């Protein structure tokens, strides 16, 4: 949570990789290094493309349960990032 409330978290939000930052911080502990941040930015682009693909597959009725599950996980993590960062904004 603290990494999302830091300058690093604000940068991640503005650049669109806050979900990936929270995920890696939970798995490996903060703070990630410069190389990891570059990787997170690339991964976030891949994940946003994956979201669009899965949403299209869902709308056509051809998404797999794994795809739907991944999308649910990603959206839940995104919502959690938003809640953490909104709470920080209210506390400031």
């Amino acid at each position: 949570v603290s990494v999302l409330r830091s300058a690093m978290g604000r940068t991640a939000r503005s650049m669109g990789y806050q979900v990936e930052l929270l995920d890696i911080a939970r798995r490996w502990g903060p703070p990630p290094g410069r190389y990891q941040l570059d990787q997170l930015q690339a991964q976030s682009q891949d994940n946003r493309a994956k979201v669009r693909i899965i949403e299209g597959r869902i709308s056509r009725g051809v998404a797999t349960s794994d795809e739907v599950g991944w999308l649910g996980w990603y959206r839940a993590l995104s919502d959690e990032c938003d809640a953490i960062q909104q709470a920080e904004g209210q506390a400031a």
Side-chain angles (χ1 to χ4, degrees):
V1 170
S2 64
V3 74
L4 287 182
R5 292 182 175 165
S6 69
M8 182 182 289
R10 289 186 294 278
T11 299
R13 183 179 178 94
S14 70
M15 296 182 72
Y17 63 94
Q18 71 271 12
V19 172
E20 291 76 13
L21 179 62
L22 180 59
D23 185 41
I24 198 167
R26 283 192 171 156
R27 287 188 286 136
W28 299 101
R34 181 72 241 161
Y35 174 78
Q36 288 176 312
L37 291 175
D38 291 341
Q39 295 300 310
L40 292 178
Q41 289 175 36
Q43 182 183 9
S44 74
Q45 291 175 356
D46 292 345
N47 286 345
R48 285 191 300 269
K50 187 174 181 177
V51 165
R52 287 189 302 274
I53 290 167
I54 293 172
E55 287 172 341
R57 292 178 59 80
I58 289 171
S59 71
R60 292 188 311 275
V62 296
T64 67
S65 61
D66 286 345
E67 289 171 328
V68 172
W70 181 89
L71 185 59
W73 167 83
Y74 188 85
R75 285 180 173 163
L77 201 55
S78 179
D79 290 346
E80 187 175 350
C81 289
D82 291 342
I84 289 167
Q85 290 172 327
Q86 286 174 3
E88 175 64 14
Q90 293 171 358

